[in-house]
Amino acid sequence: MTNYEALGLRPVINAYATVTKYGGSLMPAEVLDAMNAAANNFIDLAGLQRAVGARIAELTRNEAAYVTSGAAAGVLLAAAACVLRKSPGAEKTFPQLDGLPHEAIVQRHHRNGYDFGVQAIGMRFTEIEPDLDSLRAAINERTACIFWFAGTMNTPEDIPLPQLIKVAAAQDIPVIVDAAAQLPPVDNLWRYTQLGAALALFSGGKDLRGPQPTGLMLGRSELIERIRPISSPNHGLGRPLKVGKEEMMGLLAAVERYLGLDHAARETYCEDCVALWLAALNPLAGVRAERAFPNEANQPLPWCRVTVDAAALGRSAHEIVAAFLAQEPAIAVSPLNETQFHLNPMTLNPGEEIIVRDACLRVLGGG
Ligand SMILES: *Cc1c(COP(=O)(O)O)cnc(C)c1O
């Protein structure tokens, strides 16, 4: 049997988040079944991408949809689509875009490790302060698009998305929302585009629990049509970001499942996990646990913040995080700083919350 143990590796219980570092998320049976079925037959790939996109668009109340090889790939392709919209023919010159409109406006504090694809295709970021005057001053004839990132980078100082979209729309500039981890809530699948974003990008392998190397691009057909000719099975800028037939069908199954999911029951499960951990942790000396909401990625789910008295325990929170990983089975928890970490229920299989609780007692109980 080909498995992790045969390679001498230990599987990890994920009480961290849908982080790529530990494999993102687990695919449910519906997704695996769809991928298995897809693996049995050859199919015209461009036609499949079109049909899967049409179905996902319909399900998510969007004009069009496209399966990318992850949200980060979506960032790159969305940027490319915005260049091509103003400069048809640029597909031959990427990443040499001098002289063409190739500026992407972004709020300075939204810059993040996933935005590299924008520069990789030859675009330039124009960083602005988070206010409408800076936005208006940054717009010029070289502007190709505006990026708005959602997640840990958001602050109360953000230009509110509806206001940003209004300014952009008046100048016919597409707004791209990278909402990779903004599920739940499920209605974000249509909320950003209904607000007027030209494209909204999601990870297929985070809470959607589709294949890890997939992502969703939702929104304007005008932009998505520009991506097809430069993407697999066609040759061009997008060809290295290939998505297989199994991944396309797996992501479709994941979207269908997610739309039918009992999200309220899921929330209750997460609340119950947090309550279980609080009851176990708070009696321990040098340990304080509290329910925190929303979680780190701004998803409307609770998680458990643990603060330790590092001096009393003789260990920093980072050392405690490492101790969880050294448990049998290994448990990944979410590190924060020298005195705090989080336990996240959203990536657990039901039942694993007990394993996490028992590990907490071993690691922090001083026994
Ligand atoms: C996770 C994340 C990504 C990357 O998503 P992948 O699907 O792993 O490529 C991009 N942007 C943001 C804001 C994210 O949180």
Side-chain angles (χ1 to χ4, degrees):
M1 174 80 178
T2 308
N3 59 27
Y4 297 135
E5 289 84 351
L7 294 173
L9 301 173
R10 297 197 309 144
V12 174
I13 288 180
N14 182 356
Y16 189 155
T18 54
V19 286
T20 298
K21 182 178 162 69
Y22 290 112
S25 59
L26 302 180
M27 290 185 281
E30 297 93 315
V31 173
L32 290 167
D33 289 348
M35 295 181 78
N36 262 320
N40 282 325
N41 298 98
F42 293 101
I43 191 85
D44 174 74
L45 201 77
L48 179 64
Q49 176 68 273
R50 210 169 260 289
V52 165
R55 177 85 181 116
I56 291 178
E58 186 190 346
L59 288 169
T60 62
R61 312 176 199 180
N62 279 282
E63 187 182 302
Y66 189 84
V67 180
T68 65
S69 57
V75 167
L76 186 155
L77 291 173
C82 293
V83 170
L84 292 167
R85 171 174 179 264
K86 279 202 158 178
S87 309
E91 66 271 16
K92 296 186 194 68
T93 69
F94 286 117
Q96 254 81 53
L97 302 177
D98 295 345
L100 306 177
H102 72 295
E103 291 181 8
I105 295 174
V106 65
Q107 294 172 77
R108 191 184 306 281
H109 67 286
H110 278 202
R111 291 298 309 274
N112 65 84
Y114 301 109
D115 67 25
F116 197 81
V118 176
Q119 291 157 291
I121 67 163
M123 284 185 101
R124 256 198 44 215
F125 271 121
T126 301
E127 295 182 2
I128 61 167
E129 299 308 318
D131 62 72
L132 288 175
D133 287 342
S134 301
L135 173 62
R136 289 199 189 89
I139 294 175
N140 62 52
E141 68 286 352
R142 295 180 304 278
T143 306
C145 61
I146 302 175
F147 270 93
W148 204 90
F149 291 91
T152 51
M153 56 291 286
N154 295 126
T155 72
E157 284 73 49
D158 284 349
I159 300 174
L161 184 59
Q163 290 185 25
L164 180 135
I165 286 172
K166 196 163 163 225
V167 171
Q171 312 248 21
D172 189 31
I173 297 170
V175 174
I176 313 298
V177 176
D178 175 4
Q182 300 311 301
L183 297 172
V186 59
D187 56 0
N188 275 351
L189 287 170
W190 47 89
R191 190 175 72 88
Y192 297 108
T193 40
Q194 284 181 356
L195 274 176
L199 294 173
L201 311 170
F202 295 91
S203 289
K206 288 182 178 167
D207 203 51
L208 274 175
R209 296 177 63 181
Q212 253 299 282
T214 61
L216 266 183
M217 176 182 286
L218 303 173
R220 279 192 219 155
S221 157
E222 168 218 359
L223 288 168
I224 287 177
E225 286 308 316
R226 302 204 181 266
I227 288 167
R228 300 185 196 278
I230 60 165
S231 292
S232 168
N234 300 309
H235 294 169
L237 180 80
R239 178 59 181 80
L241 307 174
K242 163 170 151 174
V243 182
K245 55 193 183 304
E246 299 83 1
E247 282 75 28
M248 291 183 199
M249 292 303 281
L251 184 58
L252 171 57
V255 170
E256 287 172 344
R257 171 185 171 276
Y258 203 71
L259 289 166
L261 211 60
D262 184 344
H263 289 278
R266 207 287 185 91
E267 227 176 287
T268 304
Y269 168 74
C270 290
E271 292 287 4
D272 290 348
C273 289
V274 172
L276 177 82
W277 297 333
L278 295 186
L281 283 162
N282 273 321
L284 304 179
V287 179
R288 186 163 51 83
E290 59 198 319
R291 173 187 178 276
F293 184 97
N295 65 20
E296 178 236 20
N298 267 323
Q299 296 143 341
L301 289 174
W303 64 344
C304 178
R305 179 173 306 145
V306 185
T307 305
V308 296
D309 181 339
L313 295 177
R315 276 191 300 184
S316 73
H318 291 302
E319 288 167 322
I320 290 165
V321 169
F324 274 103
L325 271 177
Q327 294 293 302
E328 187 55 48
I331 298 173
V333 304
S334 174
L336 183 61
N337 56 41
E338 282 299 309
T339 58
Q340 295 182 303
F341 65 93
H342 287 91
L343 301 173
N344 194 342
M346 77 178 288
T347 33
L348 294 180
N349 279 320
E352 289 179 343
E353 68 278 10
I354 307 285
I355 299 175
V356 171
R357 192 245 349 242
D358 293 348
C360 285
L361 296 175
R362 283 197 304 276
V363 172
L364 294 163

